[in-house]
Amino acid sequence: MTSDVTRPRKLRAVAIVGSLRTDSYNQLLLDNVIRLSPDELDIYQFPRFAEIPLFNEDQARLGPPEAVAELQAAVRAADAIVIATPEYNYGVPGVLKNALDWISMPPGNSGLEGKPIALMGASPSILGTARAQSQLRQSFVATDSHVVNSPEVFVTRAHTRFEDGVLTDSGSTKLIGRLLDNLVQLIRTVEPADVRLTEQVAAR
Ligand code: FNR
């Protein structure tokens, strides 16, 4: 005999890397994060990040360019966002802040509102993007997003942490595991266990 039951559906996070550099450590970091993600969470990277133009409020109100509309839709459809950011001049890279300003439109009704977000970053310095991530947290107050508070993932001395693309630092690997577990928990907290988080399955 079969009957319909519900089970937790797979969660989906859209990922953004705030670097356009070919050999980006943050891209390597995200590649490892995708590999380490728990079974219940699918993380996929937004593929057209390099095509996002400079933010223009007039254009945002008239109708955003195609790549921006795609990014906005991807964020709206996702259960969460995963961001791997570099730090430039003690701050958030312009390309990342620019994309977030586009996604934040329209203010008060954007895909960022209430969205769970996991932050991380890699840098050759000993602070590993702490200041850039702190600035991002402040911006996500403005967008009323829910950033996972802990653990914070700062991949310091990034030039020593990867071998053939694999993150070799076990401390960072453990922190990433905990960050993703906490992200899943946050998603389930902010999106109550209704039809959005479950799927019908045929059971014997
Ligand atoms: C940097 N870098 C840097 N690193 C850091 O930890 N704090 C900082 O304030 C800065 N500032 C900074 C400014 C500019 C203009 C550049 C080009 C670089 C170094 C930066 O972390 C390094 O280039 C990373 O490798 C960039 O990240 P990806 O591209 O490897 O992901």
Side-chain angles (χ1 to χ4, degrees):
M1 194 182 87
T2 63
S3 64
D4 278 349
V5 296
T6 59
R7 70 174 177 205
R9 70 164 170 77
K10 202 142 182 172
L11 304 174
R12 230 165 122 71
V14 61
I16 296 171
V17 173
S19 171
L20 303 178
R21 197 168 74 86
T22 306
D23 297 321
S24 162
Y25 296 122
N26 285 280
Q27 181 64 58
L28 287 183
L29 175 59
L30 181 70
D31 294 344
N32 281 269
V33 165
I34 290 173
R35 191 173 49 78
L36 294 166
S37 64
D39 282 349
E40 65 254 64
L41 181 66
D42 263 345
I43 302 175
Y44 81 101
Q45 185 169 3
F46 180 70
R48 300 182 67 185
F49 184 70
E51 296 174 49
I52 303 296
L54 288 178
F55 179 74
N56 178 327
E57 191 174 344
D58 294 335
Q59 218 176 346
R61 292 190 192 285
L62 285 172
E66 195 197 318
V68 172
E70 214 173 283
L71 176 58
Q72 288 172 329
V75 167
R76 270 191 197 281
D79 296 297
I81 309 173
V82 172
I83 295 175
T85 186
E87 178 174 291
Y88 291 151
N89 298 315
Y90 291 10
V92 180
V95 291
L96 177 57
K97 182 62 166 59
N98 181 65
L100 292 174
D101 289 340
W102 276 116
I103 303 169
S104 74
M105 295 297 285
N109 187 28
S110 80
L112 291 172
E113 216 172 301
K115 190 71 66 179
I117 298 176
L119 293 180
M120 63 197 68
S123 148
S125 84
I126 54 165
L127 290 183
T129 76
R131 291 165 292 213
Q133 289 192 48
S134 173
Q135 286 184 0
L136 280 175
R137 284 177 189 275
Q138 198 174 339
S139 288
F140 287 131
V141 174
T143 58
D144 203 15
S145 310
H146 299 296
V147 182
V148 178
N149 284 328
S150 74
E152 294 175 297
V153 176
F154 307 132
V155 178
T156 61
R157 299 175 45 76
H159 52 295
T160 67
R161 305 293 191 196
F162 298 93
E163 243 171 61
D164 297 326
V166 176
L167 183 62
T168 53
D169 173 29
S170 62
S172 296
T173 304
K174 279 188 199 133
L175 288 175
I176 288 165
R178 280 177 47 209
L179 178 69
L180 295 178
D181 286 346
N182 290 351
L183 179 64
V184 167
Q185 210 174 323
L186 181 60
I187 295 169
R188 297 206 182 282
T189 304
V190 301
E191 296 184 59
D194 59 10
V195 283
R196 295 183 63 192
L197 286 177
T198 57
E199 63 183 354
Q200 295 282 329
V201 288
R204 278 176 203 285

